[in-house]
């Protein structure tokens, strides 16, 4: 099972696979140096970035993430407002302290290398860490893969089945069909089954605290994005728009100029606000990735602010249900843009949000599964082609459209009886196969699509 603690992780932008994952891998390497008892012997380290991490790593702040991880920081606890200062100080001194260990020389190009030539063996997001002693002998070497959504695994474990949990969960579903069968046999909703699984792993108060923190972080991220102005980093000169758009929509409401599509305007601006925060390196929730971090919060905010009868229990139901759907995509396909394109990021986020909204509005398990299927079906084949390797164009607007599609998918499903032709399992399998067939230049390499044609235009 994939827990709500794993699928909804609090971290910093701009990318879960290129920022959050590499930071976690670098931190783990430092921990392993200490565990191996060789930390005191380390005279230098080298980090090699391969594949998509090499091609778009600078735009995704992978270099910054690796440095922070080596310095002992983690995505959930690092202060986004101090992160740039930490990295700048290390660059100015040319030295980095490995967590609580020794200081070592650290200069990009020598100790941090973007290798866009060497082929990745197992996954397009691969990092290699090596620690050397004063004589140049290798003390420890590790290769990690950032497989999407902030998940990292040692390279030799990529593709291997996840290790069996020491604790059995009551509803160990591995497919949408199994999820529906468990629900029919137990009489429980999808959210209730996910909660029962979580309770098998940890106390109820710990689960409730995490859900509350995720909801609060998402709402605060929307609010920060709606209040912020200025230009996003990275060199594309993209200006923040969320505040200006929000002010215009609010002004229209103040003059009693209520338009039929007004709620959708709010959903769009909520998503844009989150993804502008993400692009700026702010605090976000991977949902299921950073590049798609705006879809679930935007639809959750829509439920809270625009849906009659919305309450705290509905917000929790939304997230627990979305966890089940995101977990199915993670287990049976991918949530990595570098592996399957943006269908694995915004597409999965849309599917999760559609299911969550349908559940919060009282949909049956069959209607929820239908909503999730509709959400993904109309994202199949979506490429990941970030201009300049930055999570800005087309990513920010793409989240807005993902949120709108999620609401539409939930509405269509709730107007039906749950019966439909294409199952969620079929659309997950199709997404996976489409990702395998997709040319690599359309999978977060910035070597195709808008990433090259915008420059040519």
């Amino acid at each position: 099972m994939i827990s709500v603690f794993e699928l909804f992780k609090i971290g910093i932008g701009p990318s879960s696979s290129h920022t959050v994952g590499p930071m976690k891998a670098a931190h783990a390497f430092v921990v392993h140096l200490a565990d191996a008892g060789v930390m005191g012997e380390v005279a230098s380290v080298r980090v090699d970035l391969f594949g998509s991490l090499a091609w778009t790593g600078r735009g995704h702040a992978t270099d910054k993430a690796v440095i922070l991880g080596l310095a002992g920081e983690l995505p959930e606890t690092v202060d986004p407002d101090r992160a740039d200062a930490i990295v700048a100080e290390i660059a100015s001194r040319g030295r980095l302290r490995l967590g609580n260990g020794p200081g070592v020389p650290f200069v990009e190009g020598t100790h941090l290398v973007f290798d866009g030539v060497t082929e990745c063996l197992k996954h397009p997001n691969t990092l290699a860490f090596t620690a050397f002693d004063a004589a140049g002998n290798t003390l420890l070497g590790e290769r990690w893969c950032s497989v999407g959504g902030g998940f990292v695994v040692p390279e030799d474990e990529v593709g291997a089945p996840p290790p069996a949990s020491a604790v059995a969960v009551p509803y160990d579903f591995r497919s949408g069909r199994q999820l529906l069968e468990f629900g029919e046999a137990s009489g429980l909703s999808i959210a209730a089954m996910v909660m029962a699984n979580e309770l098998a792993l940890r106390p109820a108060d710990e689960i409730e605290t995490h859900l509350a923190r995720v909801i609060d972080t998402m709402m605060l991220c929307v609010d920060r994005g709606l209040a912020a102005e200025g230009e996003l980093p990275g060199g594309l000169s993209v200006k923040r728009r969320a505040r200006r758009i929000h002010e215009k929509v609010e002004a229209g409401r103040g003059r009693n100029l209520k338009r039929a599509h007004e709620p959708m305007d709010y959903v769009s601006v909520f998503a844009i606000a989150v993804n502008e925060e993400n692009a700026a390196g702010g605090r976000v929730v991977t949902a299921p990735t950073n590049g798609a971090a705006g879809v679930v919060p935007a639809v959750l905010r829509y439920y809270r602010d625009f849906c009659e009868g919305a309450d705290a229990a509905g917000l929790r139901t939304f997230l627990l249900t979305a966890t089940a759907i995101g977990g199915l995509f993670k287990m049976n396909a991918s949530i990595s843009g570098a592996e399957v394109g943006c269908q694995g990021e915004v597409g999965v986020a849309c599917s999760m949000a559609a299911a969550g909204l349908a559940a919060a509005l009282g949909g049956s398990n069959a209607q929820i599964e239908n909503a999730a299927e509709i959400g993904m079906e109309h994202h199949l084949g979506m490429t990941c082609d970030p201009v300049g390797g930055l999570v800005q164009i087309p990513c920010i607007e793409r989240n807005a459209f993902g949120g709108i599609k999620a609401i539409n998918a939930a509405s269509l499903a709730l107007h039906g009886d749950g019966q439909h032709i294409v199952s969620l399992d079929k659309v997950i399998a199709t997404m996976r196969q489409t990702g395998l067939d997709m040319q690599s230049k359309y999978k977060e390499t910035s070597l195709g699509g808008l990433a090259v044609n915008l420059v040519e235009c």
Side-chain angles (χ1 to χ4, degrees):
M1 120 177 214
I2 294 175
S3 168
V4 67
F5 286 77
E6 297 173 299
L7 203 63
F8 292 109
K9 294 185 288 290
I10 298 170
I12 63 170
S15 172
S16 49
S17 61
H18 288 56
T19 313
V20 174
M23 192 186 305
K24 290 169 63 177
H27 185 274
F29 179 65
V30 172
V31 170
H32 294 165
L33 283 172
D35 291 344
V38 298
M39 183 69 87
E41 302 174 50
V42 178
S44 66
V45 295
R46 175 180 166 122
V47 184
D48 292 276
L49 306 176
F50 304 106
S52 180
L53 295 180
W55 294 320
T56 64
R58 286 187 175 86
H60 286 81
T62 305
D63 44 357
K64 169 184 169 181
V66 167
I67 291 169
L68 289 170
L70 291 175
E73 300 285 354
L74 281 169
E76 187 168 344
T77 54
V78 64
D79 182 352
D81 295 328
R82 289 190 61 248
D84 286 335
I86 294 171
V87 174
E89 182 181 356
I90 290 169
S92 66
R93 295 173 55 206
R95 291 188 67 81
L96 179 153
R97 186 179 181 188
L98 295 170
N100 294 322
V104 296
F106 200 86
V107 177
E108 185 175 323
T110 301
H111 304 103
L112 177 61
V113 178
F114 289 81
D115 184 345
V117 177
T118 303
E119 186 175 351
C120 298
L121 301 177
K122 293 286 192 72
H123 193 277
N125 291 335
T126 300
L127 311 85
F129 299 91
T130 313
F132 305 94
D133 64 16
N137 300 310
T138 298
L139 295 169
L140 181 67
E142 294 181 348
R143 292 174 67 92
W144 288 79
C145 294
S146 180
V147 296
F151 291 86
V152 291
V153 295
E155 185 181 51
D156 58 5
E157 295 181 14
V158 172
S165 172
V167 179
V169 295
Y171 305 102
D172 189 16
F173 58 87
R174 301 302 174 100
S175 67
R177 179 182 59 80
Q178 286 183 329
L179 186 60
L180 292 177
E181 288 175 351
F182 278 133
E184 185 173 353
S186 66
L188 295 177
S189 68
I190 291 173
M193 288 187 286
V194 173
M195 187 63 175
N197 286 348
E198 296 289 347
L199 286 168
L201 303 176
R202 52 182 60 87
D205 60 347
E206 189 176 335
I207 301 166
E208 295 291 350
T209 297
H210 180 70
L211 289 171
R213 188 178 178 211
V214 166
I215 293 167
D216 288 346
T217 302
M218 286 181 171
M219 297 303 125
L220 286 171
C221 188
V222 172
D223 292 338
R224 286 198 311 271
L226 293 177
E229 293 182 295
E231 188 173 290
L232 295 173
L236 287 181
S237 301
V238 173
K239 290 181 172 55
R240 288 180 181 253
R241 294 180 292 165
R243 177 172 177 169
R244 175 172 50 84
I245 296 172
H246 186 247
E247 287 174 346
K248 286 185 175 181
V249 177
E250 288 281 277
R253 172 181 277 192
R255 296 196 303 273
N256 204 29
L257 299 175
K258 185 175 177 62
R259 298 176 174 87
H261 57 78
E262 181 183 279
M264 296 302 100
D265 289 341
Y266 278 101
V267 173
S268 294
V269 78
F270 294 157
I272 289 171
V274 171
N275 283 87
E276 287 179 347
E277 278 295 293
N278 178 63
R283 177 78 67 209
V284 298
V285 178
T286 60
T289 68
N290 282 31
V295 178
V296 170
V299 180
L300 195 68
R301 183 81 160 231
Y302 165 80
Y303 166 74
R304 191 195 77 175
D305 292 357
F306 291 94
C307 294
E308 185 178 354
D311 57 15
L315 295 172
R316 292 192 295 272
T317 292
F318 187 118
L319 290 185
L320 290 168
T321 305
T323 296
I325 302 306
L328 289 175
F329 279 100
K330 179 74 174 68
M331 286 187 284
N332 298 302
S334 175
I335 57 172
S336 168
E339 199 169 17
V340 295
C342 198
Q343 59 176 355
E345 298 202 31
V346 169
V348 173
C350 175
S351 184
M352 291 168 59
L357 180 60
L361 294 178
S364 67
N365 288 349
Q367 289 172 318
I368 293 165
E369 185 262 359
N370 189 15
E373 182 277 323
I374 295 171
M376 172 51 73
E377 185 177 336
H378 303 290
H379 280 89
L380 290 174
M382 180 174 280
T383 61
C384 183
D385 50 354
V387 175
L390 300 166
V391 192
Q392 298 179 18
I393 302 172
C395 317
I396 294 172
E397 287 183 356
R398 189 168 282 176
N399 275 258
F401 280 85
I404 299 299
K405 284 185 178 181
I407 295 170
N408 194 24
S411 179
L412 286 172
L414 291 171
H415 279 99
D417 60 4
Q419 300 299 311
H420 54 112
I421 302 299
V422 180
S423 69
L424 176 61
D425 291 333
K426 291 294 185 184
V427 84
I428 291 175
T430 302
M431 188 271 270
R432 179 179 180 275
Q433 188 59 56
T434 303
L436 291 173
D437 292 341
M438 190 181 292
Q439 291 186 36
S440 62
K441 67 181 181 179
Y442 297 116
K443 294 192 282 191
E444 209 166 2
T445 61
S446 290
L447 298 176
L450 282 175
V452 295
N453 286 319
L454 180 64
V455 176
E456 292 175 359
C457 293

